[in-house]
Amino acid sequence: GLGGLSAAMRLGAKGYRVTVLDRLDRAGGRGSSLMRNGHRFDLGPTIVTVPQVFRQLWAECGRDFDRDVDLRPVHPYYEIRWDDGSHLTVQQDEQAMIAEVARLSPGDVAGYRKFLADSEARYRFGFEGLGRRPMNKLMDLIRELPGFVRLRADRSVYGHAAARVRDPRLRMALSFHPLFIGGDPTNVTSMYILVSHLEKEFGVHYAMGGVQAMADAMVRVIEDQGGTVRQGAEVDEITTQSGRATGVVLSDGERLPARVVVSNADPGTTYDRLLRNHPKRRWTKKRLDGARWSMGLFVWYFGTRGTQGMWGDVGHHTILNGPRYRGLLRDIFLKKHLAGDMSIYLHRPSVTDPSVAPRGDDTFYALSPVPNLHGKEAVDWSAMAETYRQKVAQVLDEKLIPGFQDHLSASEVFTPETFESRYLSPHGAGFSLEPRIFQSAWFRPHNISEEVEGLYLVGAGTHPGAGIPSVVTSSEVLTQLVPDARGAVAAPMKVAAE
């Protein structure tokens, strides 16, 4: 994943000899891709919202990010459509956004302006502040408590949006962003409204070639540093001796010694599976099972033949709301019920990047948030996947891209069961632990392991959390904790277990 690759880059720049181990056949983790009938499907994240975290990463390695990756601004960012036929076009220009809000709900313009100011304040505190510093000591948290109180971290994202605007459509438009990192907007701390500022300040971008191209560029940097990236190499266990990580054992029995081990696997997998023979103090099986995990994802990747000139009103990103918002969230996160209605995020990268499809064709993915597999009443996706895909197809045909099924040329479905098997994601959760207030910052699995000396964590399940900017800054936090290579023993090595 991008957390592990960025960690490898940063530790390589610090003088470590780095070996990256990845069980998949392509780099990128959830940001990897697959090909079907000439269509390239980006499997996970589709946008980059804070390009400077990559530019800083490349600069630390003595490289120029913009020479290695072709990043293009997306305009508009996305269109939100509601069941009543209304819509909101989200873009960077503040005056254009105010005009959009005024068109939808004139009485909410002042509240929207206040929301933007609130978002910026939380960005300064949450992203540039505690999000880029270690939070592995209780005092790290205690020092930040006045800020949490001042910024009403106890209020949910939805609660904060509802305090600023009255129109239910705008409340949705200002609060749905936690779904991009696996959180329930009605329960996730309002600190996450900072995403609105990220979009406004830094724009929304697409990497030509997809996130896969970014991952491939990261591999080239690692290899240029003298590091090694091994695909199809699955770590079975992190070995320990006298309370310290000593290396890893691969699934084929190969042993690799290491003085520093960095895991980009989900913390649940790291502690419950990879460290299964080491006693735990904090992240026990019982604690992990009692945690709240992010929702699952149903993703249908499909291609269409000869449709490039069709559906001119459907751009790069469209968010299609179902008839319910808060009720659907309750079904997904609390009741763990697979509802009959749905909301869909439709990605159509072929309008920006022709390389994703054969000439004249389109590549799409339709993503629908669904319950994870945690609990006794989990959805049996082996029985339900095709039924649910047909429902997604019906909604898309009726409300967004009519007639598309007559042009289908490629199809692939991922369910929470796929996330569990492909990414070793506990309970098929799409984004590791849900980012509630008591599962964030110090309460999240630390970047420096609480269980084993010499073991470090990066990625969505550790501090600061999920999302491309956060997983990359998790490696920034990591390098503040890992000693300089000169301070380690001779021939230092770091292994990223994914």
Side-chain angles (χ1 to χ4, degrees):
L2 302 188
L5 293 171
S6 63
M9 290 171 63
R10 285 193 155 105
L11 293 185
K14 288 183 70 152
Y16 280 87
R17 186 171 74 246
V18 180
T19 300
V20 179
L21 304 168
D22 187 345
R23 71 192 297 265
L24 300 181
D25 60 349
R26 295 291 303 271
R30 300 182 195 204
S32 58
S33 65
L34 57 80
M35 295 291 298
R36 292 289 184 271
N37 296 341
H39 296 268
R40 190 191 73 243
F41 296 110
D42 295 317
L43 299 177
T46 64
I47 58 174
V48 177
T49 51
V50 194
Q52 76 263 30
V53 301
F54 284 99
R55 294 189 174 108
Q56 178 182 330
L57 169 64
W58 253 251
E60 289 176 21
C61 299
R63 304 278 288 250
D64 181 352
F65 171 73
D66 293 294
R67 291 176 69 91
D68 290 348
V69 177
D70 182 4
L71 208 61
R72 306 277 183 95
V74 176
H75 180 78
Y77 294 170
Y78 44 86
E79 184 181 64
I80 304 175
R81 299 190 185 190
W82 286 278
D83 206 47
D84 63 0
S86 59
H87 71 278
L88 180 74
T89 301
V90 180
Q91 51 202 299
Q92 186 167 20
D93 183 81
E94 184 172 346
Q95 293 307 310
M97 280 303 302
I98 289 172
E100 278 288 281
V101 171
R103 177 184 59 78
L104 204 65
S105 179
D108 280 324
V109 169
Y112 173 70
R113 290 180 184 273
K114 290 180 181 178
F115 186 88
L116 290 181
D118 298 339
S119 174
E120 181 175 3
R122 282 152 184 80
Y123 162 79
R124 303 293 174 199
F125 175 79
F127 189 88
E128 292 294 350
L130 65 89
R132 305 186 86 159
R133 295 196 299 268
M135 291 294 292
N136 56 292
K137 298 177 181 177
L138 184 57
M139 186 54 66
D140 296 331
L141 175 66
I142 292 173
R143 279 195 293 266
E144 305 295 347
L145 288 179
F148 280 111
V149 172
R150 173 172 53 86
L151 296 174
R152 289 299 307 273
D154 61 305
R155 178 186 280 170
S156 73
V157 169
Y158 179 84
H160 198 93
R164 292 299 188 220
V165 296
R166 294 184 178 181
D167 191 295
R169 296 167 299 178
L170 283 179
R171 288 177 173 181
M172 174 272 157
L174 298 181
S175 70
F176 78 92
H177 296 95
L179 291 167
F180 285 159
I181 55 172
D184 176 358
T186 63
N187 281 295
V188 165
T189 170
S190 64
M191 299 304 296
Y192 285 99
I193 69 169
L194 64 84
V195 177
S196 293
H197 181 75
L198 293 183
E199 292 184 344
K200 171 179 173 290
E201 185 70 14
F202 306 111
V204 167
H205 301 80
Y206 173 85
M208 299 300 284
V211 173
Q212 179 71 73
M214 298 177 65
D216 292 343
M218 297 169 89
V219 169
R220 290 194 293 271
V221 174
I222 294 166
E223 292 177 339
D224 288 348
Q225 292 172 330
T228 301
V229 178
R230 293 176 55 180
Q231 302 296 149
E234 181 173 356
V235 174
D236 180 64
E237 183 179 0
I238 297 171
T239 57
T240 64
Q241 184 176 355
S242 302
R244 181 177 182 85
T246 58
V248 299
V249 179
L250 303 189
S251 57
D252 63 3
E254 181 183 358
R255 289 180 174 269
L256 294 175
R259 295 294 180 173
V260 175
V261 178
V262 179
S263 178
N264 186 205
D266 189 284
T269 299
T270 299
Y271 287 126
D272 191 41
R273 178 170 171 171
L274 300 183
L275 278 175
R276 58 186 177 274
N277 294 319
H278 186 87
K280 318 304 185 304
R281 295 184 297 271
R282 186 183 187 197
W283 296 105
T284 62
K285 184 176 182 64
K286 180 179 179 181
R287 177 165 185 168
L288 289 167
D289 192 57
R292 287 189 175 273
W293 295 86
S294 61
M295 83 283 194
L297 301 174
F298 180 94
V299 195
W300 180 24
Y301 309 93
F302 61 93
T304 53
R305 183 175 291 112
T307 58
Q308 198 171 74
M310 298 174 65
W311 316 304
D313 60 335
V314 177
H316 196 124
H317 303 108
T318 305
I319 297 169
L320 187 62
N321 278 280
R324 300 180 301 151
Y325 179 51
R326 296 175 69 186
L328 184 58
L329 293 174
R330 282 192 295 271
D331 281 345
I332 294 169
F333 287 93
L334 301 179
K335 296 180 180 179
K336 301 294 183 67
H337 167 64
L338 187 62
D341 57 331
M342 63 183 67
S343 291
I344 297 173
Y345 167 64
L346 186 71
H347 180 222
R348 188 186 188 184
S350 42
V351 301
T352 302
D353 183 359
S355 73
V356 301
R359 187 183 181 119
D361 296 355
D362 271 308
T363 291
F364 293 89
Y365 89 42
L367 179 152
S368 177
V370 295
N372 61 37
L373 304 176
H374 198 204
K376 297 179 180 179
E377 303 299 324
V379 177
D380 179 1
W381 285 103
S382 64
M384 286 299 300
E386 177 57 19
T387 298
Y388 200 79
R389 187 201 65 80
Q390 291 177 11
K391 288 184 178 180
V392 171
Q394 181 181 354
V395 172
L396 292 176
D397 188 75
E398 292 177 353
K399 300 188 176 182
L400 206 57
I401 46 175
F404 81 98
Q405 294 184 81
D406 295 333
H407 301 270
L408 285 176
S409 55
S411 179
E412 186 81 19
V413 168
F414 277 22
T415 73
E417 291 176 356
T418 316
F419 279 73
E420 189 174 49
S421 61
R422 178 180 172 88
Y423 305 122
L424 305 183
S425 177
H427 314 295
F431 306 88
S432 191
L433 294 164
E434 187 183 359
R436 294 191 174 209
I437 190 167
F438 289 113
Q439 292 188 163
S440 298
W442 180 83
F443 298 102
R444 212 163 178 81
H446 297 166
N447 304 90
I448 182 169
S449 174
E450 306 99 302
E451 308 293 351
V452 178
E453 188 179 352
L455 173 63
Y456 300 84
L457 277 66
V458 291
T462 186
H463 174 68
I468 286 182
S470 293
V471 300
V472 173
T473 54
S474 76
S475 69
E476 182 181 336
V477 172
L478 170 83
T479 55
Q480 299 172 49
L481 299 169
V482 176
D484 290 339
R486 288 189 301 272
V489 299
M493 179 184 290
K494 163 262 174 184
V495 177
E498 298 195 354

